[in-house]
């Protein structure tokens, strides 16, 4: 249980740092919490039943491990998307699709190597 709590806290920290802090919207954090809560409620309902067979115990342990794996993977994904974006920005690689930004980036790159863009591209 402590391992699950640690993984969930890590995921929420990552969501707060990489998603909520960036756009100021807490809806993704609320979605994550609702999904976790629904999984916990589903497991409580099944655990309230009478005695379980050995197969049911193994299936529940497997589902628990899979759930932890999913939480860790989402944490890893959120952290690494942010790290990737920061890396792109540190190398001045534009990640926006704005036409003017791409044109300015092309001009800067051409000037850096001692070239000029043709007149067609300057417009």
């Amino acid at each position: 249980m402590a391992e699950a709590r640690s993984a969930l806290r890590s995921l929420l920290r990552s969501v707060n740092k990489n998603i909520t802090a960036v756009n100021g919207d807490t809806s993704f954090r609320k979605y994550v919490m609702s999904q976790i809560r629904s999984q916990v409620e589903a497991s409580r309902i099944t655990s309230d039943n009478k005695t379980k067979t050995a197969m049911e115990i193994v299936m529940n342990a497997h589902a628990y491990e899979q759930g932890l794996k999913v939480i860790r993977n989402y944490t890893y994904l959120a952290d690494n998307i942010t790290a990737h974006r920061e890396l792109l920005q540190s190398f001045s690689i534009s990640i926006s699709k704005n036409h003017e930004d791409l044109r300015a980036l092309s001009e800067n790159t051409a000037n850096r190597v001692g070239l000029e863009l043709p007149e067609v591209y300057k417009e």
Side-chain angles (χ1 to χ4, degrees):
M1 190 65 158
E3 188 178 10
R5 186 176 299 127
S6 173
L8 178 60
R9 285 181 180 163
S10 179
L11 175 62
L12 291 176
R13 266 188 240 111
S14 181
V15 166
N16 286 339
K17 175 184 164 194
N18 300 314
I19 299 170
T20 305
V22 172
N23 63 11
D25 187 14
T26 60
S27 60
F28 190 72
R29 186 182 194 286
K30 289 176 185 175
Y31 172 76
V32 168
M33 287 303 298
S34 70
Q35 291 298 309
I36 298 297
R37 286 182 180 136
S38 68
Q39 292 298 321
V40 168
E41 284 300 317
S43 68
R44 283 186 184 155
I45 290 171
T46 58
S47 67
D48 289 342
N49 295 341
K50 53 188 173 192
T51 342
K52 295 181 180 179
T53 65
M55 184 59 132
E56 290 172 333
I57 293 171
V58 169
M59 298 274 296
N60 285 343
H62 180 69
Y64 176 79
E65 287 299 319
Q66 288 298 101
L68 283 178
K69 192 175 189 179
V70 167
I71 289 173
R72 287 187 192 114
N73 286 341
Y74 274 115
T75 304
Y76 184 74
L77 177 67
D79 288 338
N80 284 315
I81 286 174
T82 301
H84 183 254
R85 183 177 298 125
E86 289 170 359
L87 184 63
L88 289 175
Q89 289 173 349
S90 72
F91 285 110
S92 299
I93 298 173
S94 178
I95 54 176
S96 68
K97 300 296 183 197
N98 188 354
H99 178 68
E100 291 186 19
D101 289 343
L102 292 174
R103 186 185 55 79
L105 181 64
S106 298
E107 281 184 32
N108 290 340
T109 304
N111 290 336
R112 196 175 298 152
V113 296
L115 299 173
E116 289 185 20
L117 286 177
E119 292 297 322
V120 175
Y121 293 109
K122 287 185 179 180
E123 295 175 358

